[in-house]
Amino acid sequence: MSGLPDGIERREFDGHERLSTRGEPVYGEPTDGEWRCWDAGRSKLGAMLETGMDVDLSGGESVLYLGAASGTTVSHVADFAGPTYAIEFAPRPVRDLIGVAEDRSNLFPLLKDARKPETYAHIVEADLDLLVQDVATRGQAAVAVNNAQFLADEGQLCLAVKARSEDVTADPETVFEEVREEVAAAYEIVDSRRLEPFHDDHLGIVARKR
């Protein structure tokens, strides 16, 4: 990654330089004035940035975020991005997500299932710059491939793969290789690496839509 985009800075929290974005706090994270610490231990995308993956961001991107949960990571994304569509299928986290969106006019929570993009295709705009996926379900590669329709040509995918969600008994490296092969049907993989020490048995993938 060649530098950080507008809206993300490294600032000192608790004696350590850490990623931060400017916005209203969401999950009790440390703050420094208007800046809020982006905890990579609670964010797969934050871990991808902290481990130096080849994520290409400039700020202001249009985003589809799959697996938004209560808004921990997508709130940071909305702090530096443009229009951000946040997909979450569980009603309870969506209630929290709506609260996060009250402070972010560019964040649009949607109670939808990321495995069924046809249910939100009439809402989410086309030709988006960035697809971020953190969906803990079997078939994570298929979700990424099926949602490629929303990306512009050469739009970027940042995918966090949880091995145990695919097969709790399989060797994670075997799972990761299978996911990479399936993702390559729709994307050119730019970078992939494990997300330790922040997240055990997780793989980060950065790719471009073919």
Side-chain angles (χ1 to χ4, degrees):
M1 185 181 64
S2 55
L4 294 173
D6 291 341
I8 305 178
E9 289 189 3
R10 288 194 175 277
R11 301 177 75 88
E12 187 171 307
F13 298 93
D14 303 323
H16 300 280
E17 272 206 352
R18 300 168 73 181
L19 296 172
S20 65
T21 61
R22 185 189 284 115
E24 288 296 317
V26 169
Y27 52 99
E29 67 274 26
T31 58
D32 178 10
E34 296 181 338
W35 293 87
R36 47 193 290 255
C37 179
W38 190 347
D39 186 352
R42 298 184 60 168
S43 168
K44 313 305 189 312
L45 181 59
M48 292 168 74
L49 293 169
E50 285 285 21
T51 55
M53 291 191 69
D54 191 14
V55 180
D56 183 14
L57 299 172
S58 59
E61 286 86 359
S62 53
V63 181
L64 175 60
Y65 193 106
L66 306 178
S70 297
T72 296
T73 297
V74 76
S75 65
H76 286 290
V77 172
D79 285 348
F80 70 82
T84 303
Y85 299 92
I87 305 297
E88 174 54 44
F89 80 98
R92 178 66 186 87
V94 168
R95 288 199 290 271
D96 295 335
L97 189 57
I98 290 170
V100 173
E102 289 177 355
D103 296 316
R104 294 167 174 83
S105 61
N106 62 324
L107 178 58
F108 307 108
L110 296 170
L111 179 60
K112 300 290 183 180
D113 187 337
R115 296 169 297 184
K116 300 176 181 179
E118 68 276 6
T119 64
Y120 47 87
H122 63 295
I123 302 172
V124 176
E125 63 186 273
D127 296 330
L128 297 174
D129 301 312
L130 176 64
L131 171 61
V132 182
Q133 180 179 323
D134 181 12
V135 178
T137 184
R138 189 181 294 271
Q140 293 164 88
V143 172
V145 170
N146 292 337
N147 280 274
Q149 63 185 285
F150 298 105
L151 280 176
D153 292 342
E154 298 190 355
Q156 183 177 209
L157 167 70
C158 291
L159 168 64
V161 181
K162 184 178 181 180
R164 302 305 180 193
S165 293
E166 293 290 342
D167 188 337
V168 72
T169 63
D171 176 66
E173 281 302 326
T174 300
V175 172
F176 296 151
E177 185 56 34
E178 291 173 351
V179 169
R180 277 189 289 258
E181 289 179 4
E182 191 172 346
V183 166
Y187 299 90
E188 178 184 356
I189 295 177
V190 175
D191 193 3
S192 69
R193 66 184 72 178
R194 299 281 290 257
L195 297 182
E196 281 90 359
F198 301 105
H199 302 278
D200 292 338
D201 296 330
H202 280 75
L203 180 75
I205 295 176
V206 179
R208 290 281 181 187
K209 182 181 175 182
R210 292 189 183 277

